[in-house]
Amino acid sequence: MSLLTLLPFIVLIGAMFLMTRSAKKKQQQAADMRNQMQPGSGIRTIGGMYATVKEVNEDTVLVDAGPGVDLLFAKNAIGAVLTDDEYNRIVHGVEHDLKSDADLVPDDASSLTETGDSAAPADDKAVDLGKKDTADGPADEATEAKTDAEPKKTDGDSEAK
């Protein structure tokens, strides 16, 4: 057997190795995340339910889903452990306001250039865009004669039936 006949099999085995390696890495990260759960952590289950961890056991997690509602889940059913800010934003609608910690930046630059004097004259003149109004009349006599020579279009109603 030559090396050329073995090359497709080698490539296939290499691709399978790389795919299983990345899948194992993701499983290991998920297991580490589940092992870092502590009572009081906010979680999201794989079904999309948000709750707070009350108790962590070997294979199960007791969560508080609301007032008087305690649920027991398998650890594998926990989809994500959330940070406190993220949990409060999603569940309670509390948004951590980062803007209050920093200086406010205006949306437009007009407030940056204002000097506080309102004595500056305002230009209320119309801007000339180079167009001529049709109300002033046609620009030349040839255009006017051309429009008169053309027959006028009607809505389809004609008196000569």
PDB file of all heavy atoms in Angstrom, residues 88-120:
ATOM      1  N   ASN A  88     -29.785  40.192  38.092  1.00  0.00           N
ATOM      2  CA  ASN A  88     -30.683  41.275  38.501  1.00  0.00           C
ATOM      3  C   ASN A  88     -31.270  42.002  37.303  1.00  0.00           C
ATOM      4  O   ASN A  88     -32.421  42.420  37.328  1.00  0.00           O
ATOM      5  CB  ASN A  88     -29.955  42.265  39.409  1.00  0.00           C
ATOM      6  CG  ASN A  88     -29.705  41.690  40.775  1.00  0.00           C
ATOM      7  OD1 ASN A  88     -30.445  40.829  41.252  1.00  0.00           O
ATOM      8  ND2 ASN A  88     -28.639  42.127  41.415  1.00  0.00           N
ATOM      9  N   ARG A  89     -30.478  42.157  36.238  1.00  0.00           N
ATOM     10  CA  ARG A  89     -30.979  42.825  35.038  1.00  0.00           C
ATOM     11  C   ARG A  89     -32.081  42.001  34.389  1.00  0.00           C
ATOM     12  O   ARG A  89     -33.107  42.527  33.980  1.00  0.00           O
ATOM     13  CB  ARG A  89     -29.838  43.039  34.042  1.00  0.00           C
ATOM     14  CG  ARG A  89     -30.281  43.710  32.753  1.00  0.00           C
ATOM     15  CD  ARG A  89     -29.130  43.890  31.790  1.00  0.00           C
ATOM     16  NE  ARG A  89     -28.467  42.653  31.444  1.00  0.00           N
ATOM     17  CZ  ARG A  89     -28.883  41.796  30.504  1.00  0.00           C
ATOM     18  NH1 ARG A  89     -29.971  42.057  29.829  1.00  0.00           N
ATOM     19  NH2 ARG A  89     -28.223  40.700  30.246  1.00  0.00           N
ATOM     20  N   ILE A  90     -31.913  40.680  34.312  1.00  0.00           N
ATOM     21  CA  ILE A  90     -32.881  39.822  33.629  1.00  0.00           C
ATOM     22  C   ILE A  90     -34.122  39.589  34.490  1.00  0.00           C
ATOM     23  O   ILE A  90     -35.251  39.747  34.035  1.00  0.00           O
ATOM     24  CB  ILE A  90     -32.226  38.478  33.241  1.00  0.00           C
ATOM     25  CG1 ILE A  90     -31.160  38.714  32.181  1.00  0.00           C
ATOM     26  CG2 ILE A  90     -33.261  37.495  32.736  1.00  0.00           C
ATOM     27  CD1 ILE A  90     -30.293  37.514  31.905  1.00  0.00           C
ATOM     28  N   VAL A  91     -33.932  39.214  35.729  1.00  0.00           N
ATOM     29  CA  VAL A  91     -35.055  38.800  36.578  1.00  0.00           C
ATOM     30  C   VAL A  91     -35.801  39.985  37.169  1.00  0.00           C
ATOM     31  O   VAL A  91     -37.027  40.045  37.121  1.00  0.00           O
ATOM     32  CB  VAL A  91     -34.559  37.849  37.689  1.00  0.00           C
ATOM     33  CG1 VAL A  91     -35.681  37.499  38.641  1.00  0.00           C
ATOM     34  CG2 VAL A  91     -33.980  36.596  37.071  1.00  0.00           C
ATOM     35  N   HIS A  92     -35.063  40.944  37.724  1.00  0.00           N
ATOM     36  CA  HIS A  92     -35.703  42.049  38.435  1.00  0.00           C
ATOM     37  C   HIS A  92     -35.799  43.318  37.601  1.00  0.00           C
ATOM     38  O   HIS A  92     -36.427  44.284  38.033  1.00  0.00           O
ATOM     39  CB  HIS A  92     -34.942  42.352  39.724  1.00  0.00           C
ATOM     40  CG  HIS A  92     -34.842  41.172  40.645  1.00  0.00           C
ATOM     41  ND1 HIS A  92     -35.940  40.604  41.233  1.00  0.00           N
ATOM     42  CD2 HIS A  92     -33.776  40.439  41.053  1.00  0.00           C
ATOM     43  CE1 HIS A  92     -35.560  39.578  41.981  1.00  0.00           C
ATOM     44  NE2 HIS A  92     -34.249  39.452  41.886  1.00  0.00           N
ATOM     45  N   GLY A  93     -35.165  43.340  36.463  1.00  0.00           N
ATOM     46  CA  GLY A  93     -35.197  44.521  35.616  1.00  0.00           C
ATOM     47  C   GLY A  93     -34.341  45.647  36.133  1.00  0.00           C
ATOM     48  O   GLY A  93     -34.504  46.793  35.757  1.00  0.00           O
ATOM     49  N   VAL A  94     -33.394  45.338  37.014  1.00  0.00           N
ATOM     50  CA  VAL A  94     -32.525  46.353  37.581  1.00  0.00           C
ATOM     51  C   VAL A  94     -31.312  46.482  36.677  1.00  0.00           C
ATOM     52  O   VAL A  94     -30.566  45.543  36.465  1.00  0.00           O
ATOM     53  CB  VAL A  94     -32.076  45.978  39.010  1.00  0.00           C
ATOM     54  CG1 VAL A  94     -31.099  46.997  39.556  1.00  0.00           C
ATOM     55  CG2 VAL A  94     -33.276  45.821  39.905  1.00  0.00           C
ATOM     56  N   GLU A  95     -31.135  47.696  36.143  1.00  0.00           N
ATOM     57  CA  GLU A  95     -30.022  47.965  35.234  1.00  0.00           C
ATOM     58  C   GLU A  95     -28.958  48.726  36.010  1.00  0.00           C
ATOM     59  O   GLU A  95     -29.232  49.770  36.596  1.00  0.00           O
ATOM     60  CB  GLU A  95     -30.520  48.781  34.047  1.00  0.00           C
ATOM     61  CG  GLU A  95     -29.523  48.970  32.963  1.00  0.00           C
ATOM     62  CD  GLU A  95     -29.475  47.792  32.004  1.00  0.00           C
ATOM     63  OE1 GLU A  95     -30.509  47.138  31.809  1.00  0.00           O
ATOM     64  OE2 GLU A  95     -28.415  47.531  31.458  1.00  0.00           O
ATOM     65  N   HIS A  96     -27.746  48.200  36.032  1.00  0.00           N
ATOM     66  CA  HIS A  96     -26.647  48.920  36.671  1.00  0.00           C
ATOM     67  C   HIS A  96     -26.295  50.098  35.792  1.00  0.00           C
ATOM     68  O   HIS A  96     -25.925  49.934  34.638  1.00  0.00           O
ATOM     69  CB  HIS A  96     -25.431  48.002  36.853  1.00  0.00           C
ATOM     70  CG  HIS A  96     -24.265  48.697  37.486  1.00  0.00           C
ATOM     71  ND1 HIS A  96     -24.308  49.133  38.779  1.00  0.00           N
ATOM     72  CD2 HIS A  96     -23.055  49.056  36.999  1.00  0.00           C
ATOM     73  CE1 HIS A  96     -23.152  49.715  39.075  1.00  0.00           C
ATOM     74  NE2 HIS A  96     -22.379  49.681  38.001  1.00  0.00           N
ATOM     75  N   ASP A  97     -26.425  51.302  36.316  1.00  0.00           N
ATOM     76  CA  ASP A  97     -26.240  52.510  35.525  1.00  0.00           C
ATOM     77  C   ASP A  97     -24.782  52.937  35.571  1.00  0.00           C
ATOM     78  O   ASP A  97     -24.319  53.523  36.536  1.00  0.00           O
ATOM     79  CB  ASP A  97     -27.141  53.617  36.065  1.00  0.00           C
ATOM     80  CG  ASP A  97     -27.228  54.792  35.122  1.00  0.00           C
ATOM     81  OD1 ASP A  97     -26.791  54.646  33.965  1.00  0.00           O
ATOM     82  OD2 ASP A  97     -27.737  55.840  35.551  1.00  0.00           O
ATOM     83  N   LEU A  98     -24.048  52.606  34.513  1.00  0.00           N
ATOM     84  CA  LEU A  98     -22.656  52.987  34.427  1.00  0.00           C
ATOM     85  C   LEU A  98     -22.506  54.457  34.089  1.00  0.00           C
ATOM     86  O   LEU A  98     -21.474  55.056  34.348  1.00  0.00           O
ATOM     87  CB  LEU A  98     -21.942  52.142  33.365  1.00  0.00           C
ATOM     88  CG  LEU A  98     -21.864  50.649  33.658  1.00  0.00           C
ATOM     89  CD1 LEU A  98     -21.250  49.928  32.472  1.00  0.00           C
ATOM     90  CD2 LEU A  98     -21.074  50.388  34.912  1.00  0.00           C
ATOM     91  N   LYS A  99     -23.534  55.073  33.508  1.00  0.00           N
ATOM     92  CA  LYS A  99     -23.455  56.466  33.099  1.00  0.00           C
ATOM     93  C   LYS A  99     -23.390  57.393  34.306  1.00  0.00           C
ATOM     94  O   LYS A  99     -22.839  58.474  34.224  1.00  0.00           O
ATOM     95  CB  LYS A  99     -24.644  56.844  32.221  1.00  0.00           C
ATOM     96  CG  LYS A  99     -24.626  56.168  30.882  1.00  0.00           C
ATOM     97  CD  LYS A  99     -25.806  56.608  30.057  1.00  0.00           C
ATOM     98  CE  LYS A  99     -25.802  55.911  28.716  1.00  0.00           C
ATOM     99  NZ  LYS A  99     -26.958  56.287  27.919  1.00  0.00           N
ATOM    100  N   SER A 100     -23.945  56.989  35.436  1.00  0.00           N
ATOM    101  CA  SER A 100     -23.920  57.858  36.596  1.00  0.00           C
ATOM    102  C   SER A 100     -22.524  57.940  37.193  1.00  0.00           C
ATOM    103  O   SER A 100     -22.209  58.891  37.891  1.00  0.00           O
ATOM    104  CB  SER A 100     -24.912  57.356  37.646  1.00  0.00           C
ATOM    105  OG  SER A 100     -24.508  56.081  38.109  1.00  0.00           O
ATOM    106  N   ASP A 101     -21.678  56.951  36.914  1.00  0.00           N
ATOM    107  CA  ASP A 101     -20.324  56.949  37.442  1.00  0.00           C
ATOM    108  C   ASP A 101     -19.398  57.845  36.635  1.00  0.00           C
ATOM    109  O   ASP A 101     -18.384  58.300  37.130  1.00  0.00           O
ATOM    110  CB  ASP A 101     -19.751  55.521  37.451  1.00  0.00           C
ATOM    111  CG  ASP A 101     -20.575  54.603  38.334  1.00  0.00           C
ATOM    112  OD1 ASP A 101     -21.299  55.123  39.213  1.00  0.00           O
ATOM    113  OD2 ASP A 101     -20.498  53.378  38.154  1.00  0.00           O
ATOM    114  N   ALA A 102     -19.708  58.106  35.379  1.00  0.00           N
ATOM    115  CA  ALA A 102     -18.836  58.886  34.498  1.00  0.00           C
ATOM    116  C   ALA A 102     -19.508  60.197  34.119  1.00  0.00           C
ATOM    117  O   ALA A 102     -20.686  60.419  34.365  1.00  0.00           O
ATOM    118  CB  ALA A 102     -18.529  58.070  33.243  1.00  0.00           C
ATOM    119  N   ASP A 103     -18.727  61.082  33.518  1.00  0.00           N
ATOM    120  CA  ASP A 103     -19.288  62.337  33.032  1.00  0.00           C
ATOM    121  C   ASP A 103     -20.231  62.057  31.880  1.00  0.00           C
ATOM    122  O   ASP A 103     -19.998  61.175  31.066  1.00  0.00           O
ATOM    123  CB  ASP A 103     -18.165  63.273  32.569  1.00  0.00           C
ATOM    124  CG  ASP A 103     -17.303  63.735  33.734  1.00  0.00           C
ATOM    125  OD1 ASP A 103     -17.821  63.742  34.860  1.00  0.00           O
ATOM    126  OD2 ASP A 103     -16.122  64.075  33.496  1.00  0.00           O
ATOM    127  N   LEU A 104     -21.273  62.861  31.804  1.00  0.00           N
ATOM    128  CA  LEU A 104     -22.233  62.681  30.730  1.00  0.00           C
ATOM    129  C   LEU A 104     -21.716  63.312  29.450  1.00  0.00           C
ATOM    130  O   LEU A 104     -21.199  64.427  29.463  1.00  0.00           O
ATOM    131  CB  LEU A 104     -23.573  63.313  31.105  1.00  0.00           C
ATOM    132  CG  LEU A 104     -24.305  62.652  32.262  1.00  0.00           C
ATOM    133  CD1 LEU A 104     -25.561  63.438  32.597  1.00  0.00           C
ATOM    134  CD2 LEU A 104     -24.664  61.227  31.916  1.00  0.00           C
ATOM    135  N   VAL A 105     -21.848  62.612  28.367  1.00  0.00           N
ATOM    136  CA  VAL A 105     -21.453  63.110  27.064  1.00  0.00           C
ATOM    137  C   VAL A 105     -22.727  63.392  26.282  1.00  0.00           C
ATOM    138  O   VAL A 105     -23.578  62.523  26.152  1.00  0.00           O
ATOM    139  CB  VAL A 105     -20.585  62.070  26.315  1.00  0.00           C
ATOM    140  CG1 VAL A 105     -20.215  62.585  24.945  1.00  0.00           C
ATOM    141  CG2 VAL A 105     -19.354  61.752  27.126  1.00  0.00           C
ATOM    142  N   PRO A 106     -22.867  64.618  25.751  1.00  0.00           N
ATOM    143  CA  PRO A 106     -24.096  64.942  25.030  1.00  0.00           C
ATOM    144  C   PRO A 106     -24.180  64.205  23.707  1.00  0.00           C
ATOM    145  O   PRO A 106     -23.167  63.795  23.136  1.00  0.00           O
ATOM    146  CB  PRO A 106     -23.997  66.445  24.802  1.00  0.00           C
ATOM    147  CG  PRO A 106     -22.540  66.735  24.867  1.00  0.00           C
ATOM    148  CD  PRO A 106     -21.954  65.747  25.829  1.00  0.00           C
ATOM    149  N   ASP A 107     -25.412  64.028  23.229  1.00  0.00           N
ATOM    150  CA  ASP A 107     -25.634  63.346  21.961  1.00  0.00           C
ATOM    151  C   ASP A 107     -25.232  64.203  20.772  1.00  0.00           C
ATOM    152  O   ASP A 107     -24.872  63.691  19.732  1.00  0.00           O
ATOM    153  CB  ASP A 107     -27.103  62.945  21.824  1.00  0.00           C
ATOM    154  CG  ASP A 107     -27.464  61.839  22.789  1.00  0.00           C
ATOM    155  OD1 ASP A 107     -26.544  61.121  23.214  1.00  0.00           O
ATOM    156  OD2 ASP A 107     -28.648  61.703  23.097  1.00  0.00           O
ATOM    157  N   ASP A 108     -25.327  65.513  20.912  1.00  0.00           N
ATOM    158  CA  ASP A 108     -24.956  66.385  19.802  1.00  0.00           C
ATOM    159  C   ASP A 108     -23.928  67.392  20.292  1.00  0.00           C
ATOM    160  O   ASP A 108     -23.783  67.643  21.473  1.00  0.00           O
ATOM    161  CB  ASP A 108     -26.177  67.093  19.229  1.00  0.00           C
ATOM    162  CG  ASP A 108     -26.877  67.956  20.252  1.00  0.00           C
ATOM    163  OD1 ASP A 108     -26.679  67.717  21.475  1.00  0.00           O
ATOM    164  OD2 ASP A 108     -27.600  68.856  19.862  1.00  0.00           O
ATOM    165  N   ALA A 109     -23.208  67.982  19.373  1.00  0.00           N
ATOM    166  CA  ALA A 109     -22.123  68.884  19.723  1.00  0.00           C
ATOM    167  C   ALA A 109     -22.599  70.312  19.959  1.00  0.00           C
ATOM    168  O   ALA A 109     -21.809  71.160  20.338  1.00  0.00           O
ATOM    169  CB  ALA A 109     -21.071  68.865  18.629  1.00  0.00           C
ATOM    170  N   SER A 110     -23.874  70.598  19.757  1.00  0.00           N
ATOM    171  CA  SER A 110     -24.352  71.970  19.901  1.00  0.00           C
ATOM    172  C   SER A 110     -24.214  72.477  21.330  1.00  0.00           C
ATOM    173  O   SER A 110     -23.924  73.646  21.552  1.00  0.00           O
ATOM    174  CB  SER A 110     -25.794  72.084  19.435  1.00  0.00           C
ATOM    175  OG  SER A 110     -26.620  71.309  20.271  1.00  0.00           O
ATOM    176  N   SER A 111     -24.387  71.614  22.300  1.00  0.00           N
ATOM    177  CA  SER A 111     -24.271  72.059  23.680  1.00  0.00           C
ATOM    178  C   SER A 111     -22.816  72.278  24.079  1.00  0.00           C
ATOM    179  O   SER A 111     -22.542  72.964  25.053  1.00  0.00           O
ATOM    180  CB  SER A 111     -24.931  71.050  24.616  1.00  0.00           C
ATOM    181  OG  SER A 111     -24.238  69.828  24.537  1.00  0.00           O
ATOM    182  N   LEU A 112     -21.883  71.718  23.342  1.00  0.00           N
ATOM    183  CA  LEU A 112     -20.475  71.929  23.647  1.00  0.00           C
ATOM    184  C   LEU A 112     -19.988  73.289  23.178  1.00  0.00           C
ATOM    185  O   LEU A 112     -19.047  73.837  23.731  1.00  0.00           O
ATOM    186  CB  LEU A 112     -19.627  70.829  22.985  1.00  0.00           C
ATOM    187  CG  LEU A 112     -19.883  69.410  23.477  1.00  0.00           C
ATOM    188  CD1 LEU A 112     -19.082  68.424  22.663  1.00  0.00           C
ATOM    189  CD2 LEU A 112     -19.548  69.283  24.945  1.00  0.00           C
ATOM    190  N   THR A 113     -20.618  73.837  22.145  1.00  0.00           N
ATOM    191  CA  THR A 113     -20.177  75.101  21.580  1.00  0.00           C
ATOM    192  C   THR A 113     -20.958  76.290  22.099  1.00  0.00           C
ATOM    193  O   THR A 113     -20.624  77.421  21.782  1.00  0.00           O
ATOM    194  CB  THR A 113     -20.297  75.066  20.043  1.00  0.00           C
ATOM    195  OG1 THR A 113     -21.650  74.785  19.700  1.00  0.00           O
ATOM    196  CG2 THR A 113     -19.384  74.011  19.459  1.00  0.00           C
ATOM    197  N   GLU A 114     -21.998  76.069  22.872  1.00  0.00           N
ATOM    198  CA  GLU A 114     -22.785  77.171  23.398  1.00  0.00           C
ATOM    199  C   GLU A 114     -21.979  77.937  24.422  1.00  0.00           C
ATOM    200  O   GLU A 114     -21.290  77.355  25.260  1.00  0.00           O
ATOM    201  CB  GLU A 114     -24.079  76.661  24.029  1.00  0.00           C
ATOM    202  CG  GLU A 114     -25.070  76.133  23.018  1.00  0.00           C
ATOM    203  CD  GLU A 114     -26.313  75.594  23.697  1.00  0.00           C
ATOM    204  OE1 GLU A 114     -26.400  75.614  24.935  1.00  0.00           O
ATOM    205  OE2 GLU A 114     -27.202  75.138  22.970  1.00  0.00           O
ATOM    206  N   THR A 115     -22.052  79.257  24.371  1.00  0.00           N
ATOM    207  CA  THR A 115     -21.325  80.095  25.320  1.00  0.00           C
ATOM    208  C   THR A 115     -22.231  80.647  26.403  1.00  0.00           C
ATOM    209  O   THR A 115     -21.779  81.348  27.284  1.00  0.00           O
ATOM    210  CB  THR A 115     -20.660  81.264  24.566  1.00  0.00           C
ATOM    211  OG1 THR A 115     -21.675  82.014  23.916  1.00  0.00           O
ATOM    212  CG2 THR A 115     -19.638  80.751  23.576  1.00  0.00           C
ATOM    213  N   GLY A 116     -23.503  80.364  26.293  1.00  0.00           N
ATOM    214  CA  GLY A 116     -24.448  80.870  27.277  1.00  0.00           C
ATOM    215  C   GLY A 116     -25.098  82.155  26.829  1.00  0.00           C
ATOM    216  O   GLY A 116     -26.037  82.632  27.429  1.00  0.00           O
ATOM    217  N   ASP A 117     -24.555  82.824  25.795  1.00  0.00           N
ATOM    218  CA  ASP A 117     -25.142  84.047  25.257  1.00  0.00           C
ATOM    219  C   ASP A 117     -26.180  83.681  24.225  1.00  0.00           C
ATOM    220  O   ASP A 117     -25.892  83.002  23.264  1.00  0.00           O
ATOM    221  CB  ASP A 117     -24.072  84.930  24.602  1.00  0.00           C
ATOM    222  CG  ASP A 117     -23.038  85.393  25.612  1.00  0.00           C
ATOM    223  OD1 ASP A 117     -23.382  85.435  26.810  1.00  0.00           O
ATOM    224  OD2 ASP A 117     -21.900  85.700  25.197  1.00  0.00           O
ATOM    225  N   SER A 118     -27.384  84.174  24.409  1.00  0.00           N
ATOM    226  CA  SER A 118     -28.419  83.923  23.421  1.00  0.00           C
ATOM    227  C   SER A 118     -28.611  85.146  22.540  1.00  0.00           C
ATOM    228  O   SER A 118     -29.626  85.316  21.905  1.00  0.00           O
ATOM    229  CB  SER A 118     -29.731  83.532  24.095  1.00  0.00           C
ATOM    230  OG  SER A 118     -30.134  84.593  24.932  1.00  0.00           O
ATOM    231  N   ALA A 119     -27.620  86.081  22.541  1.00  0.00           N
ATOM    232  CA  ALA A 119     -27.723  87.299  21.759  1.00  0.00           C
ATOM    233  C   ALA A 119     -27.267  87.093  20.321  1.00  0.00           C
ATOM    234  O   ALA A 119     -27.313  88.012  19.533  1.00  0.00           O
ATOM    235  CB  ALA A 119     -26.880  88.388  22.411  1.00  0.00           C
ATOM    236  N   ALA A 120     -26.811  85.946  19.972  1.00  0.00           N
ATOM    237  CA  ALA A 120     -26.340  85.697  18.617  1.00  0.00           C
ATOM    238  C   ALA A 120     -27.535  85.724  17.671  1.00  0.00           C
ATOM    239  O   ALA A 120     -28.579  85.122  17.957  1.00  0.00           O
ATOM    240  CB  ALA A 120     -25.640  84.351  18.533  1.00  0.00           C
TER     241      ALA A 120
END
